[in-house]
Amino acid sequence: MDKKLITVLSVLGLLVVIFFINTTIQKGYNSKENILFSIDKNNINKIIIKSNVDAIELTKTDSTWIISGNDTLMIKENVINNFFDTMYNLKKKHLVTSREEKWINYGINNEEGTHLAMINSTGETIAYYVFGKSKDPNEYNTCYVRSNQSLDVFLLDNNITYQLQTNPTYWGQIPQNEELQKDLPITIE
């Protein structure tokens, strides 16, 4: 009976040791930092979004965002706030590749990806990401990302690509008083 108990305890101890070794090895496959975006939005003075041949630049003057090169549209505050809220909530699920030749599979090569640059008041790029959509139509609620010059591509827990629009009317709207003036009848004397 003693030998059986010692054998069982030895096997149990060995299984516990194997479990801890396996757990330690598995931690190496997980991202050390799960949060994608942790920059204070007050430090961001310019956002540049580029997709294919289209691009848009949003600039902050004082505390107001404007669309660079467009003086007829005012920024929709809810859109810019939703954009930052989504960015702060994005989490990396796991690493999908570290090989540049695989980028095309995840839509994050330079031609297919949507580029997002965030620039501070001194003109320094403080964040740069390339986002891509999955080729699988069933994966519409996630996207892929690589940051700066990193080769690592991560699957994200949410899809932000629908918010990375280069169309000025997505980010801005005609001010209310100008809309009212357009509706007024024109009288000619």
PDB file of all heavy atoms in Angstrom, residues 129-157:
ATOM      1  N   TYR A 129      -0.360  53.105 -37.009  1.00  0.00           N
ATOM      2  CA  TYR A 129      -0.933  51.769 -37.142  1.00  0.00           C
ATOM      3  C   TYR A 129      -1.356  51.529 -38.582  1.00  0.00           C
ATOM      4  O   TYR A 129      -1.722  52.464 -39.291  1.00  0.00           O
ATOM      5  CB  TYR A 129      -2.185  51.615 -36.258  1.00  0.00           C
ATOM      6  CG  TYR A 129      -1.960  51.907 -34.803  1.00  0.00           C
ATOM      7  CD1 TYR A 129      -2.329  53.126 -34.243  1.00  0.00           C
ATOM      8  CD2 TYR A 129      -1.377  50.950 -33.972  1.00  0.00           C
ATOM      9  CE1 TYR A 129      -2.127  53.386 -32.901  1.00  0.00           C
ATOM     10  CE2 TYR A 129      -1.177  51.211 -32.625  1.00  0.00           C
ATOM     11  CZ  TYR A 129      -1.553  52.428 -32.105  1.00  0.00           C
ATOM     12  OH  TYR A 129      -1.345  52.690 -30.770  1.00  0.00           O
ATOM     13  N   VAL A 130      -1.332  50.270 -38.974  1.00  0.00           N
ATOM     14  CA  VAL A 130      -1.917  49.847 -40.246  1.00  0.00           C
ATOM     15  C   VAL A 130      -2.959  48.789 -39.894  1.00  0.00           C
ATOM     16  O   VAL A 130      -2.641  47.775 -39.274  1.00  0.00           O
ATOM     17  CB  VAL A 130      -0.865  49.265 -41.210  1.00  0.00           C
ATOM     18  CG1 VAL A 130      -1.527  48.857 -42.520  1.00  0.00           C
ATOM     19  CG2 VAL A 130       0.246  50.267 -41.467  1.00  0.00           C
ATOM     20  N   PHE A 131      -4.211  49.066 -40.256  1.00  0.00           N
ATOM     21  CA  PHE A 131      -5.318  48.168 -39.965  1.00  0.00           C
ATOM     22  C   PHE A 131      -5.744  47.434 -41.226  1.00  0.00           C
ATOM     23  O   PHE A 131      -5.675  47.990 -42.326  1.00  0.00           O
ATOM     24  CB  PHE A 131      -6.523  48.956 -39.431  1.00  0.00           C
ATOM     25  CG  PHE A 131      -6.292  49.565 -38.087  1.00  0.00           C
ATOM     26  CD1 PHE A 131      -5.804  50.861 -37.965  1.00  0.00           C
ATOM     27  CD2 PHE A 131      -6.565  48.853 -36.932  1.00  0.00           C
ATOM     28  CE1 PHE A 131      -5.592  51.427 -36.725  1.00  0.00           C
ATOM     29  CE2 PHE A 131      -6.353  49.415 -35.683  1.00  0.00           C
ATOM     30  CZ  PHE A 131      -5.867  50.708 -35.587  1.00  0.00           C
ATOM     31  N   GLY A 132      -6.192  46.206 -41.061  1.00  0.00           N
ATOM     32  CA  GLY A 132      -6.665  45.425 -42.196  1.00  0.00           C
ATOM     33  C   GLY A 132      -7.842  44.567 -41.820  1.00  0.00           C
ATOM     34  O   GLY A 132      -8.012  44.170 -40.669  1.00  0.00           O
ATOM     35  N   LYS A 133      -8.648  44.276 -42.822  1.00  0.00           N
ATOM     36  CA  LYS A 133      -9.813  43.416 -42.629  1.00  0.00           C
ATOM     37  C   LYS A 133      -9.448  41.990 -43.006  1.00  0.00           C
ATOM     38  O   LYS A 133      -8.581  41.750 -43.833  1.00  0.00           O
ATOM     39  CB  LYS A 133     -10.967  43.876 -43.522  1.00  0.00           C
ATOM     40  CG  LYS A 133     -11.469  45.255 -43.231  1.00  0.00           C
ATOM     41  CD  LYS A 133     -12.573  45.606 -44.197  1.00  0.00           C
ATOM     42  CE  LYS A 133     -12.913  47.072 -44.111  1.00  0.00           C
ATOM     43  NZ  LYS A 133     -13.863  47.465 -45.139  1.00  0.00           N
ATOM     44  N   SER A 134     -10.174  41.075 -42.447  1.00  0.00           N
ATOM     45  CA  SER A 134      -9.988  39.666 -42.773  1.00  0.00           C
ATOM     46  C   SER A 134     -10.553  39.397 -44.162  1.00  0.00           C
ATOM     47  O   SER A 134     -11.503  40.041 -44.604  1.00  0.00           O
ATOM     48  CB  SER A 134     -10.708  38.799 -41.748  1.00  0.00           C
ATOM     49  OG  SER A 134     -10.678  37.456 -42.140  1.00  0.00           O
ATOM     50  N   LYS A 135      -9.986  38.426 -44.836  1.00  0.00           N
ATOM     51  CA  LYS A 135     -10.508  37.996 -46.139  1.00  0.00           C
ATOM     52  C   LYS A 135     -11.776  37.156 -45.959  1.00  0.00           C
ATOM     53  O   LYS A 135     -12.544  36.976 -46.888  1.00  0.00           O
ATOM     54  CB  LYS A 135      -9.461  37.170 -46.888  1.00  0.00           C
ATOM     55  CG  LYS A 135      -8.132  37.861 -47.062  1.00  0.00           C
ATOM     56  CD  LYS A 135      -8.187  38.906 -48.118  1.00  0.00           C
ATOM     57  CE  LYS A 135      -6.791  39.467 -48.352  1.00  0.00           C
ATOM     58  NZ  LYS A 135      -6.794  40.798 -48.828  1.00  0.00           N
ATOM     59  N   ASP A 136     -11.980  36.647 -44.745  1.00  0.00           N
ATOM     60  CA  ASP A 136     -13.146  35.819 -44.441  1.00  0.00           C
ATOM     61  C   ASP A 136     -14.350  36.724 -44.164  1.00  0.00           C
ATOM     62  O   ASP A 136     -14.330  37.518 -43.222  1.00  0.00           O
ATOM     63  CB  ASP A 136     -12.849  34.943 -43.217  1.00  0.00           C
ATOM     64  CG  ASP A 136     -13.992  33.998 -42.868  1.00  0.00           C
ATOM     65  OD1 ASP A 136     -15.045  34.045 -43.546  1.00  0.00           O
ATOM     66  OD2 ASP A 136     -13.829  33.207 -41.923  1.00  0.00           O
ATOM     67  N   PRO A 137     -15.413  36.631 -44.967  1.00  0.00           N
ATOM     68  CA  PRO A 137     -16.578  37.515 -44.760  1.00  0.00           C
ATOM     69  C   PRO A 137     -17.294  37.272 -43.436  1.00  0.00           C
ATOM     70  O   PRO A 137     -18.068  38.110 -42.990  1.00  0.00           O
ATOM     71  CB  PRO A 137     -17.488  37.200 -45.946  1.00  0.00           C
ATOM     72  CG  PRO A 137     -17.046  35.877 -46.453  1.00  0.00           C
ATOM     73  CD  PRO A 137     -15.595  35.724 -46.089  1.00  0.00           C
ATOM     74  N   ASN A 138     -17.053  36.143 -42.789  1.00  0.00           N
ATOM     75  CA  ASN A 138     -17.693  35.853 -41.499  1.00  0.00           C
ATOM     76  C   ASN A 138     -16.999  36.551 -40.336  1.00  0.00           C
ATOM     77  O   ASN A 138     -17.516  36.563 -39.230  1.00  0.00           O
ATOM     78  CB  ASN A 138     -17.735  34.347 -41.246  1.00  0.00           C
ATOM     79  CG  ASN A 138     -18.606  33.629 -42.253  1.00  0.00           C
ATOM     80  OD1 ASN A 138     -19.612  34.184 -42.700  1.00  0.00           O
ATOM     81  ND2 ASN A 138     -18.216  32.437 -42.627  1.00  0.00           N
ATOM     82  N   GLU A 139     -15.830  37.124 -40.566  1.00  0.00           N
ATOM     83  CA  GLU A 139     -15.089  37.805 -39.507  1.00  0.00           C
ATOM     84  C   GLU A 139     -15.206  39.324 -39.657  1.00  0.00           C
ATOM     85  O   GLU A 139     -14.226  40.035 -39.756  1.00  0.00           O
ATOM     86  CB  GLU A 139     -13.615  37.390 -39.539  1.00  0.00           C
ATOM     87  CG  GLU A 139     -13.384  35.959 -39.132  1.00  0.00           C
ATOM     88  CD  GLU A 139     -11.911  35.614 -39.061  1.00  0.00           C
ATOM     89  OE1 GLU A 139     -11.062  36.502 -39.257  1.00  0.00           O
ATOM     90  OE2 GLU A 139     -11.608  34.448 -38.810  1.00  0.00           O
ATOM     91  N   TYR A 140     -16.408  39.828 -39.658  1.00  0.00           N
ATOM     92  CA  TYR A 140     -16.634  41.253 -39.833  1.00  0.00           C
ATOM     93  C   TYR A 140     -16.462  42.048 -38.542  1.00  0.00           C
ATOM     94  O   TYR A 140     -16.346  43.253 -38.562  1.00  0.00           O
ATOM     95  CB  TYR A 140     -18.034  41.514 -40.405  1.00  0.00           C
ATOM     96  CG  TYR A 140     -19.141  40.975 -39.541  1.00  0.00           C
ATOM     97  CD1 TYR A 140     -19.684  41.751 -38.530  1.00  0.00           C
ATOM     98  CD2 TYR A 140     -19.633  39.692 -39.726  1.00  0.00           C
ATOM     99  CE1 TYR A 140     -20.693  41.256 -37.724  1.00  0.00           C
ATOM    100  CE2 TYR A 140     -20.637  39.195 -38.925  1.00  0.00           C
ATOM    101  CZ  TYR A 140     -21.168  39.977 -37.931  1.00  0.00           C
ATOM    102  OH  TYR A 140     -22.153  39.486 -37.135  1.00  0.00           O
ATOM    103  N   ASN A 141     -16.443  41.387 -37.399  1.00  0.00           N
ATOM    104  CA  ASN A 141     -16.375  42.110 -36.128  1.00  0.00           C
ATOM    105  C   ASN A 141     -14.968  42.159 -35.538  1.00  0.00           C
ATOM    106  O   ASN A 141     -14.795  42.573 -34.404  1.00  0.00           O
ATOM    107  CB  ASN A 141     -17.353  41.501 -35.122  1.00  0.00           C
ATOM    108  CG  ASN A 141     -17.059  40.045 -34.859  1.00  0.00           C
ATOM    109  OD1 ASN A 141     -16.364  39.397 -35.627  1.00  0.00           O
ATOM    110  ND2 ASN A 141     -17.593  39.513 -33.778  1.00  0.00           N
ATOM    111  N   THR A 142     -13.967  41.738 -36.293  1.00  0.00           N
ATOM    112  CA  THR A 142     -12.580  41.833 -35.847  1.00  0.00           C
ATOM    113  C   THR A 142     -11.749  42.390 -36.981  1.00  0.00           C
ATOM    114  O   THR A 142     -12.186  42.425 -38.136  1.00  0.00           O
ATOM    115  CB  THR A 142     -12.006  40.463 -35.422  1.00  0.00           C
ATOM    116  OG1 THR A 142     -12.061  39.573 -36.530  1.00  0.00           O
ATOM    117  CG2 THR A 142     -12.751  39.882 -34.243  1.00  0.00           C
ATOM    118  N   CYS A 143     -10.561  42.832 -36.652  1.00  0.00           N
ATOM    119  CA  CYS A 143      -9.629  43.288 -37.676  1.00  0.00           C
ATOM    120  C   CYS A 143      -8.208  43.007 -37.205  1.00  0.00           C
ATOM    121  O   CYS A 143      -7.996  42.563 -36.080  1.00  0.00           O
ATOM    122  CB  CYS A 143      -9.836  44.767 -38.005  1.00  0.00           C
ATOM    123  SG  CYS A 143      -9.461  45.907 -36.678  1.00  0.00           S
ATOM    124  N   TYR A 144      -7.269  43.283 -38.071  1.00  0.00           N
ATOM    125  CA  TYR A 144      -5.859  43.030 -37.778  1.00  0.00           C
ATOM    126  C   TYR A 144      -5.123  44.357 -37.717  1.00  0.00           C
ATOM    127  O   TYR A 144      -5.548  45.344 -38.311  1.00  0.00           O
ATOM    128  CB  TYR A 144      -5.245  42.138 -38.862  1.00  0.00           C
ATOM    129  CG  TYR A 144      -5.915  40.805 -38.951  1.00  0.00           C
ATOM    130  CD1 TYR A 144      -6.927  40.570 -39.878  1.00  0.00           C
ATOM    131  CD2 TYR A 144      -5.564  39.777 -38.092  1.00  0.00           C
ATOM    132  CE1 TYR A 144      -7.552  39.341 -39.947  1.00  0.00           C
ATOM    133  CE2 TYR A 144      -6.186  38.542 -38.157  1.00  0.00           C
ATOM    134  CZ  TYR A 144      -7.186  38.332 -39.090  1.00  0.00           C
ATOM    135  OH  TYR A 144      -7.807  37.115 -39.144  1.00  0.00           O
ATOM    136  N   VAL A 145      -4.000  44.367 -37.008  1.00  0.00           N
ATOM    137  CA  VAL A 145      -3.229  45.597 -36.879  1.00  0.00           C
ATOM    138  C   VAL A 145      -1.748  45.275 -36.748  1.00  0.00           C
ATOM    139  O   VAL A 145      -1.363  44.246 -36.195  1.00  0.00           O
ATOM    140  CB  VAL A 145      -3.701  46.428 -35.664  1.00  0.00           C
ATOM    141  CG1 VAL A 145      -3.386  45.746 -34.350  1.00  0.00           C
ATOM    142  CG2 VAL A 145      -3.112  47.823 -35.694  1.00  0.00           C
ATOM    143  N   ARG A 146      -0.954  46.172 -37.290  1.00  0.00           N
ATOM    144  CA  ARG A 146       0.471  46.205 -36.980  1.00  0.00           C
ATOM    145  C   ARG A 146       0.783  47.653 -36.643  1.00  0.00           C
ATOM    146  O   ARG A 146       0.126  48.574 -37.122  1.00  0.00           O
ATOM    147  CB  ARG A 146       1.330  45.677 -38.116  1.00  0.00           C
ATOM    148  CG  ARG A 146       1.339  46.494 -39.367  1.00  0.00           C
ATOM    149  CD  ARG A 146       2.255  45.861 -40.424  1.00  0.00           C
ATOM    150  NE  ARG A 146       2.066  46.461 -41.715  1.00  0.00           N
ATOM    151  CZ  ARG A 146       2.746  47.510 -42.160  1.00  0.00           C
ATOM    152  NH1 ARG A 146       3.678  48.051 -41.409  1.00  0.00           N
ATOM    153  NH2 ARG A 146       2.501  48.017 -43.346  1.00  0.00           N
ATOM    154  N   SER A 147       1.769  47.869 -35.802  1.00  0.00           N
ATOM    155  CA  SER A 147       2.061  49.228 -35.376  1.00  0.00           C
ATOM    156  C   SER A 147       3.491  49.605 -35.718  1.00  0.00           C
ATOM    157  O   SER A 147       4.385  48.761 -35.722  1.00  0.00           O
ATOM    158  CB  SER A 147       1.802  49.410 -33.887  1.00  0.00           C
ATOM    159  OG  SER A 147       2.567  48.508 -33.143  1.00  0.00           O
ATOM    160  N   ASN A 148       3.657  50.892 -35.988  1.00  0.00           N
ATOM    161  CA  ASN A 148       4.958  51.467 -36.337  1.00  0.00           C
ATOM    162  C   ASN A 148       5.667  50.602 -37.360  1.00  0.00           C
ATOM    163  O   ASN A 148       5.083  50.240 -38.358  1.00  0.00           O
ATOM    164  CB  ASN A 148       5.788  51.693 -35.077  1.00  0.00           C
ATOM    165  CG  ASN A 148       5.160  52.742 -34.183  1.00  0.00           C
ATOM    166  OD1 ASN A 148       4.496  53.640 -34.658  1.00  0.00           O
ATOM    167  ND2 ASN A 148       5.346  52.606 -32.891  1.00  0.00           N
ATOM    168  N   GLN A 149       6.903  50.274 -37.126  1.00  0.00           N
ATOM    169  CA  GLN A 149       7.663  49.463 -38.067  1.00  0.00           C
ATOM    170  C   GLN A 149       7.742  48.007 -37.622  1.00  0.00           C
ATOM    171  O   GLN A 149       8.582  47.249 -38.094  1.00  0.00           O
ATOM    172  CB  GLN A 149       9.071  50.050 -38.224  1.00  0.00           C
ATOM    173  CG  GLN A 149       9.086  51.468 -38.759  1.00  0.00           C
ATOM    174  CD  GLN A 149       8.413  51.597 -40.116  1.00  0.00           C
ATOM    175  OE1 GLN A 149       8.594  50.757 -40.984  1.00  0.00           O
ATOM    176  NE2 GLN A 149       7.607  52.629 -40.300  1.00  0.00           N
ATOM    177  N   SER A 150       6.884  47.594 -36.728  1.00  0.00           N
ATOM    178  CA  SER A 150       6.883  46.228 -36.206  1.00  0.00           C
ATOM    179  C   SER A 150       6.402  45.253 -37.280  1.00  0.00           C
ATOM    180  O   SER A 150       5.520  45.565 -38.077  1.00  0.00           O
ATOM    181  CB  SER A 150       5.968  46.142 -34.991  1.00  0.00           C
ATOM    182  OG  SER A 150       5.861  44.812 -34.550  1.00  0.00           O
ATOM    183  N   LEU A 151       6.982  44.072 -37.289  1.00  0.00           N
ATOM    184  CA  LEU A 151       6.535  43.012 -38.191  1.00  0.00           C
ATOM    185  C   LEU A 151       5.367  42.237 -37.604  1.00  0.00           C
ATOM    186  O   LEU A 151       4.696  41.495 -38.316  1.00  0.00           O
ATOM    187  CB  LEU A 151       7.696  42.052 -38.487  1.00  0.00           C
ATOM    188  CG  LEU A 151       8.888  42.633 -39.238  1.00  0.00           C
ATOM    189  CD1 LEU A 151       9.988  41.597 -39.372  1.00  0.00           C
ATOM    190  CD2 LEU A 151       8.484  43.156 -40.595  1.00  0.00           C
ATOM    191  N   ASP A 152       5.112  42.393 -36.312  1.00  0.00           N
ATOM    192  CA  ASP A 152       4.077  41.635 -35.617  1.00  0.00           C
ATOM    193  C   ASP A 152       2.682  42.111 -36.023  1.00  0.00           C
ATOM    194  O   ASP A 152       2.394  43.307 -36.008  1.00  0.00           O
ATOM    195  CB  ASP A 152       4.226  41.763 -34.105  1.00  0.00           C
ATOM    196  CG  ASP A 152       5.495  41.117 -33.590  1.00  0.00           C
ATOM    197  OD1 ASP A 152       6.073  40.287 -34.317  1.00  0.00           O
ATOM    198  OD2 ASP A 152       5.911  41.449 -32.463  1.00  0.00           O
ATOM    199  N   VAL A 153       1.834  41.158 -36.372  1.00  0.00           N
ATOM    200  CA  VAL A 153       0.442  41.432 -36.720  1.00  0.00           C
ATOM    201  C   VAL A 153      -0.431  40.785 -35.653  1.00  0.00           C
ATOM    202  O   VAL A 153      -0.269  39.606 -35.349  1.00  0.00           O
ATOM    203  CB  VAL A 153       0.087  40.858 -38.101  1.00  0.00           C
ATOM    204  CG1 VAL A 153      -1.382  41.091 -38.423  1.00  0.00           C
ATOM    205  CG2 VAL A 153       0.976  41.462 -39.174  1.00  0.00           C
ATOM    206  N   PHE A 154      -1.359  41.575 -35.109  1.00  0.00           N
ATOM    207  CA  PHE A 154      -2.242  41.086 -34.052  1.00  0.00           C
ATOM    208  C   PHE A 154      -3.692  41.082 -34.519  1.00  0.00           C
ATOM    209  O   PHE A 154      -4.113  41.971 -35.263  1.00  0.00           O
ATOM    210  CB  PHE A 154      -2.136  41.966 -32.808  1.00  0.00           C
ATOM    211  CG  PHE A 154      -0.813  41.864 -32.114  1.00  0.00           C
ATOM    212  CD1 PHE A 154       0.210  42.750 -32.405  1.00  0.00           C
ATOM    213  CD2 PHE A 154      -0.588  40.878 -31.174  1.00  0.00           C
ATOM    214  CE1 PHE A 154       1.436  42.657 -31.782  1.00  0.00           C
ATOM    215  CE2 PHE A 154       0.633  40.768 -30.533  1.00  0.00           C
ATOM    216  CZ  PHE A 154       1.647  41.665 -30.833  1.00  0.00           C
ATOM    217  N   LEU A 155      -4.433  40.104 -34.050  1.00  0.00           N
ATOM    218  CA  LEU A 155      -5.878  40.086 -34.214  1.00  0.00           C
ATOM    219  C   LEU A 155      -6.453  40.931 -33.090  1.00  0.00           C
ATOM    220  O   LEU A 155      -6.063  40.771 -31.933  1.00  0.00           O
ATOM    221  CB  LEU A 155      -6.411  38.657 -34.133  1.00  0.00           C
ATOM    222  CG  LEU A 155      -7.936  38.497 -34.170  1.00  0.00           C
ATOM    223  CD1 LEU A 155      -8.484  38.910 -35.525  1.00  0.00           C
ATOM    224  CD2 LEU A 155      -8.319  37.053 -33.864  1.00  0.00           C
ATOM    225  N   LEU A 156      -7.366  41.840 -33.415  1.00  0.00           N
ATOM    226  CA  LEU A 156      -7.993  42.689 -32.409  1.00  0.00           C
ATOM    227  C   LEU A 156      -9.360  42.143 -32.038  1.00  0.00           C
ATOM    228  O   LEU A 156      -9.991  41.433 -32.817  1.00  0.00           O
ATOM    229  CB  LEU A 156      -8.127  44.122 -32.926  1.00  0.00           C
ATOM    230  CG  LEU A 156      -6.817  44.845 -33.232  1.00  0.00           C
ATOM    231  CD1 LEU A 156      -7.097  46.233 -33.776  1.00  0.00           C
ATOM    232  CD2 LEU A 156      -5.938  44.919 -32.008  1.00  0.00           C
ATOM    233  N   ASP A 157      -9.829  42.523 -30.873  1.00  0.00           N
ATOM    234  CA  ASP A 157     -11.116  42.026 -30.380  1.00  0.00           C
ATOM    235  C   ASP A 157     -12.306  42.781 -30.949  1.00  0.00           C
ATOM    236  O   ASP A 157     -13.446  42.402 -30.719  1.00  0.00           O
ATOM    237  CB  ASP A 157     -11.155  42.071 -28.856  1.00  0.00           C
ATOM    238  CG  ASP A 157     -11.146  43.487 -28.304  1.00  0.00           C
ATOM    239  OD1 ASP A 157     -10.722  44.412 -29.024  1.00  0.00           O
ATOM    240  OD2 ASP A 157     -11.541  43.670 -27.145  1.00  0.00           O
TER     241      ASP A 157
END
